[in-house]
């Protein structure tokens, strides 16, 4: 070591507890309600003496943060993950005056009531992972909370009415123009709220999900044409902003999940002319990855 004195400063810090799992069960007579969540907490203090000098006197232990999650869930319940995250942020800021910023991230397990002969069961559930709902709430001292909600792992496919052609044709291109192809992707979307006051977060989340599925699939009997993943992504984002006025900005990521036609010309001794079954080979990697974010123009904001 050279022994040179290096001048440094801490420009950001935070600590907390990750992966705090809990299941809330509420019984209302014979009808039972469940909500399972996984919570990450993070606190930022008004000093760095714990990092600089090993002085732990201001540290709210991560175990204490974990216990806080359980206690507040018991005391107040979890209506929506966004509301619970806001409750946690407010608690940490009000309880500890040396905490200057909080961040809470929550994922919700997708439990759905089991249906028997078209009727929802009163206490039996099925983990139906259509997608994962999540949220992230950030709040600084003396400021309002900022809410981000989202969904991920929403895997969708349509078998026609998707094309990709007339793209750059240079010496590196091997992909042909395609007028009709399988379109499969795994949607991840997150959106920023302009306010957290008087927002029905459950309704807004369902609204964004519905907007994505509507633009991707189109009408049930006819579908909708997609000239590119990019265009479908943009139209889905516009639909979400049009339907949920409290959302100010939305970002989506759509990776291509490729399905390549199996080349049966490699089997010249077999006859396939009368076969109507089309066979494809799923290939997740490598994949294209399409991302874009849009927001309301200033004149269009609430």
């Amino acid at each position: 070591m050279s022994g040179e004195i290096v001048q440094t400063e801490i420009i950001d810090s935070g600590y907390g507890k990750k992966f705090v799992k809990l299941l809330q069960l509420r019984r209302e007579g014979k009808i039972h309600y469940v909500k399972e969540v996984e919570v990450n907490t993070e606190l930022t203090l008004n000093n760095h003496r714990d990092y600089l000098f090993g002085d732990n006197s201001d540290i709210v232990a991560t175990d204490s943060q974990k216990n806080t999650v359980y206690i507040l869930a018991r005391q107040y319940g979890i209506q929506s993950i966004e509301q619970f995250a806001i409750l946690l942020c407010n608690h940490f800021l009000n309880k500890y005056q040396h905490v200057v910023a909080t961040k809470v991230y929550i994922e919700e397990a997708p439990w759905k009531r089991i249906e028997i002969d078209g009727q929802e069961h009163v206490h039996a559930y099925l983990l139906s992972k259509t997608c994962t709902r999540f949220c992230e709430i950030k709040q600084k001292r003396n400021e309002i909370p900022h809410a981000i909600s989202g969904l991920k792992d929403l895997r969708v496919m349509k078998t026609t009415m998707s094309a990709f052609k007339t793209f750059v044709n240079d010496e590196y291109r091997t992909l042909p123009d395609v007028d009709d192809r399988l379109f499969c992707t795994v949607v991840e979307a997150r959106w920023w709220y302009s306010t957290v006051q008087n927002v029905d977060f459950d309704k807004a989340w369902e609204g964004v999900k519905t907007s994505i599925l509507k633009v991707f699939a189109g009408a049930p009997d006819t579908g909708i044409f997609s000239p590119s993943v990019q265009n479908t992504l943009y139209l889905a984002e516009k639909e979400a902003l049009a339907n949920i006025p409290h959302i100010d900005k939305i970002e989506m990521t759509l990776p291509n999940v490729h399905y390549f036609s199996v080349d049966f010309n490699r089997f010249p001794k077999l006859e396939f002319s009368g076969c109507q079954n089309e066979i494809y080979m799923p290939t997740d990697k490598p994949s294209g990855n399409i991302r874009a974010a849009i927001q309301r123009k200033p004149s269009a904001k609430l």
Side-chain angles (χ1 to χ4, degrees), residues 14-218:
Y15 71 98
K17 189 67 104 180
K18 298 187 71 173
F19 313 127
V20 182
K21 291 179 174 288
L22 70 90
L23 174 71
Q24 171 186 280
L25 169 60
R26 192 175 82 255
R27 307 173 195 265
E28 296 184 3
K30 69 176 184 178
I31 301 177
H32 297 175
Y33 300 86
V34 300
K35 189 177 288 287
E36 183 177 348
V37 298
E38 183 177 284
V39 182
N40 296 347
T41 63
E42 182 179 290
L43 308 181
T44 299
L45 307 184
N46 63 3
N47 65 79
H48 299 115
R49 61 172 63 101
D50 46 348
Y51 292 92
L52 297 174
F53 311 115
D55 180 349
N56 300 333
S57 58
D58 280 343
I59 291 180
V60 182
T62 64
D63 189 66
S64 300
Q65 296 179 43
K66 175 200 69 178
N67 294 336
T68 300
V69 172
Y70 293 140
I71 291 168
L72 293 189
R74 171 70 168 168
Q75 290 178 327
Y76 300 100
I78 305 173
Q79 300 302 315
S80 71
I81 57 174
E82 290 85 358
Q83 290 166 329
F84 187 58
I86 292 170
L87 176 69
L88 285 166
C89 286
N90 284 327
H91 170 85
F92 288 127
L93 289 170
N94 292 330
K95 178 71 174 177
Y96 307 105
Q97 293 304 307
H98 60 291
V99 172
V100 296
T102 61
K103 180 169 68 175
V104 176
Y105 175 88
I106 303 180
E107 290 188 4
E108 181 175 348
W111 288 107
K112 305 294 182 185
R113 292 187 185 275
I114 292 175
E115 289 192 9
I116 306 295
D117 297 329
Q119 181 176 350
E120 289 188 341
H121 205 283
V122 294
H123 63 248
Y125 285 79
L126 173 71
L127 189 67
S128 178
K129 195 171 183 179
T130 302
C131 62
T132 299
R133 176 177 175 178
F134 66 87
C135 76
E136 182 178 271
I137 306 296
K138 295 181 180 180
Q139 186 175 6
K140 295 181 179 180
R141 180 164 297 284
N142 300 321
E143 295 185 10
I144 62 173
H146 295 278
I148 302 172
S149 295
L151 60 84
K152 62 181 181 178
D153 304 324
L154 178 63
R155 185 162 182 152
V156 291
M157 173 194 289
K158 63 181 183 180
T159 57
T160 189
M161 298 194 74
S162 174
F164 187 57
K165 57 185 181 180
T166 66
F167 51 95
V168 172
N169 186 11
D170 59 15
E171 67 271 27
Y172 299 103
R173 172 176 163 172
T174 59
L175 194 67
D177 284 346
V178 180
D179 291 306
D180 192 23
R181 63 175 181 171
L182 291 178
F183 179 4
C184 181
T185 188
V186 184
V187 181
E188 179 170 345
R190 62 184 65 228
W191 50 93
W192 288 254
Y193 290 96
S194 57
T195 180
V196 297
Q197 299 297 319
N198 302 317
V199 178
D200 186 334
F201 290 105
D202 291 339
K203 183 178 179 180
W205 189 86
E206 288 290 348
V208 174
K209 179 184 172 186
T210 298
S211 296
I212 293 170
L213 296 179
K214 176 183 176 182
V215 171
F216 177 82

